[in-house]
Amino acid sequence: MNIQLLCGGTGDSVERKQGWPDAVTAVLRSADWPDRSYYGVLGLRTVAVRFRRALRFYLRHRIGKSRPQREKHSFIAVMHFAGLKAVGESVQKPLLYFQVNLTASMNLLQVMQANGVHNLVFSSSATVYGDPQRLPIDEQHPVGGCTNPYGKTKFFIEEMISDQCKANKDWNVVLLRYFNPIGAHISGLIGEDPQGIPNNLLPYVAQVAIGRREHLSVYGDDYDTPDGTGVRDYIHVVDLAKGHIAALKKLQDNCGCKAYNLGTGTGYSVLQMVKAMEKASGKKIPWQVAPRRDGDVASCYADPRTAAEELGWKAEFDLERMCKDLWRWQSSNPTGFSMR
């Protein structure tokens, strides 16, 4: 069986700077799946070139009225990463987040249904749990009490997918509830390059360490946590990628709609992350306390046991490795991809 998978991301920075195709972060191919699986790790430029040559599947007009059209290639599964993803920005621009995330996902589900593609891995988020009622958070924790519009869009999309699976029993979907992905590929060639001011903690810390930012703003030091700063479950992006491969294999079991946490099960505070990055970089990272940010919660970390039991997946890389790989990427690419 020859399988091609389209994996989507917003792609804005690549599209603006390089003219690459929109909504593409990776193309995975495999032969005789799942018996003899091969999953290549492709550089972003290689992905773009191979995408142009190999695929003619475009999700056009994701937010417009025109329906996406499938052309000659056959797909049996989709990995859906596309969307806006900054908690703070979503509080400031809620309508933008509802428009982009919900409409694009609805378009994708419609074109999948129309073309008989009924297997999906969806990039969800731990934000669907809202302010945790208990820690660590397992998949049975209530969802929907979201504290920000970004989390609400993920929850609404999960609900859309769940209803689609109930109405169409031949659909199989794995909802992956990410905690906080950080790090970079060990090669130092593939990493996170946010455009403008980073919305996530670690890219901002790395830019302070490299000298692109003067200091880190710590949003709140009066939370009910050991040092007063927010606690999160950080997971290496490579571990996260392996979780997607495990989820893809799970679809073969005709699993229906299943949700899994992807995290390490350990929470670290903002100040602990700053110290870890100081150790990895050998740099002093100045920081200042700022007011709490709307939409944030005090602590959020996973119970990842269900993913271990049912997907055979477990995070392998520790915090030191996450920070070392992130610093290798940042120090090798001090201005991101812009000078490449």
Side-chain angles (χ1 to χ4, degrees):
M1 181 186 298
N2 188 27
I3 297 168
Q4 296 173 325
L5 302 172
L6 175 64
C7 306
T10 53
D12 293 338
S13 61
V14 227
E15 185 180 29
R16 285 198 304 268
K17 291 190 172 292
Q18 304 291 345
W20 294 346
D22 185 36
V24 178
T25 55
V27 177
L28 305 178
R29 288 169 171 261
S30 66
D32 296 329
W33 179 74
D35 299 323
R36 294 192 298 275
S37 297
Y38 170 76
Y39 301 98
V41 178
L42 304 178
L44 295 179
R45 292 169 182 76
T46 305
V47 166
V49 170
R50 293 190 183 183
F51 177 83
R52 287 174 177 145
R53 292 176 181 173
L55 302 179
R56 292 294 182 271
F57 186 138
Y58 298 105
L59 297 178
R60 296 189 180 97
H61 311 295
R62 291 176 299 156
I63 308 174
K65 295 181 179 179
S66 300
R67 290 189 61 186
Q69 299 294 320
R70 187 181 77 164
E71 297 183 10
K72 65 181 180 180
H73 291 279
S74 177
F75 290 78
I76 69 162
V78 173
M79 303 176 83
H80 176 25
F81 305 146
L84 301 177
K85 58 167 288 293
V87 168
E89 184 185 54
S90 77
V91 174
Q92 298 168 357
K93 302 176 181 178
L95 293 181
L96 176 65
Y97 271 68
F98 291 131
Q99 180 189 38
V100 172
N101 292 1
L102 298 184
T103 306
S105 297
M106 190 177 301
N107 285 349
L108 175 61
L109 294 174
Q110 288 175 336
V111 78
M112 288 176 65
Q113 178 69 13
N115 290 282
V117 181
H118 299 157
N119 296 300
L120 174 67
V121 177
F122 174 58
S123 164
S124 191
S125 167
T127 55
V128 300
Y129 295 120
D131 198 349
Q133 298 177 15
R134 61 178 183 268
L135 292 168
I137 302 170
D138 60 21
E139 290 84 354
Q140 284 69 51
H141 187 286
V143 296
C146 308
T147 61
N148 55 77
Y150 164 67
K152 290 177 183 177
T153 67
K154 291 296 187 180
F155 171 67
F156 294 155
I157 295 167
E158 284 196 6
E159 290 292 286
M160 283 195 292
I161 291 171
S162 176
D163 287 342
Q164 177 68 4
C165 290
K166 290 175 184 176
N168 298 272
K169 301 303 182 183
D170 56 346
W171 274 68
N172 297 290
V173 179
V174 173
L175 310 171
L176 294 179
R177 293 172 178 163
Y178 301 179
F179 279 69
N180 292 75
I182 62 171
H185 191 264
I186 192 172
S187 66
L189 298 175
I190 306 174
E192 186 175 3
D193 183 20
Q195 303 302 294
I197 300 174
N199 285 297
N200 298 112
L201 174 63
L202 267 295
Y204 202 111
V205 171
Q207 290 189 10
V208 172
I210 204 69
R212 290 175 61 182
R213 310 279 170 191
E214 290 186 4
H215 66 271
L216 170 71
S217 293
V218 176
Y219 295 107
D221 65 348
D222 57 350
Y223 286 105
D224 185 16
T225 62
D227 62 18
T229 65
V231 170
R232 298 291 183 271
D233 186 339
Y234 295 92
I235 175 176
H236 198 295
V237 67
V238 172
D239 280 330
L240 189 73
K242 292 177 180 178
H244 287 75
I245 301 303
L248 187 64
K249 293 178 179 178
K250 181 67 177 177
L251 296 176
Q252 302 167 79
D253 297 338
N254 295 318
C255 59
C257 187
K258 296 283 291 184
Y260 297 99
N261 291 337
L262 293 188
T264 65
T266 302
Y268 294 97
S269 73
V270 172
L271 296 186
Q272 286 177 312
M273 298 305 294
V274 169
K275 291 178 181 178
M277 276 301 294
E278 287 181 336
K279 180 179 178 181
S281 65
K283 308 283 187 178
K284 183 66 177 176
I285 298 171
W287 55 272
Q288 296 178 4
V289 176
R292 289 189 184 191
R293 188 172 57 178
D294 289 342
D296 279 343
V297 300
S299 297
C300 183
Y301 52 93
D303 180 343
R305 288 179 295 178
T306 303
E309 294 167 0
E310 298 187 13
L311 299 182
W313 174 91
K314 185 177 180 180
E316 298 176 6
F317 299 128
D318 62 12
L319 180 60
E320 183 177 0
R321 171 66 183 272
M322 297 180 213
C323 293
K324 281 184 177 179
D325 288 348
L326 173 58
W327 180 244
R328 184 181 299 107
W329 149 255
Q330 188 68 79
S331 58
S332 300
N333 304 272
T335 57
F337 287 114
S338 62
M339 297 302 292
R340 289 272 177 151

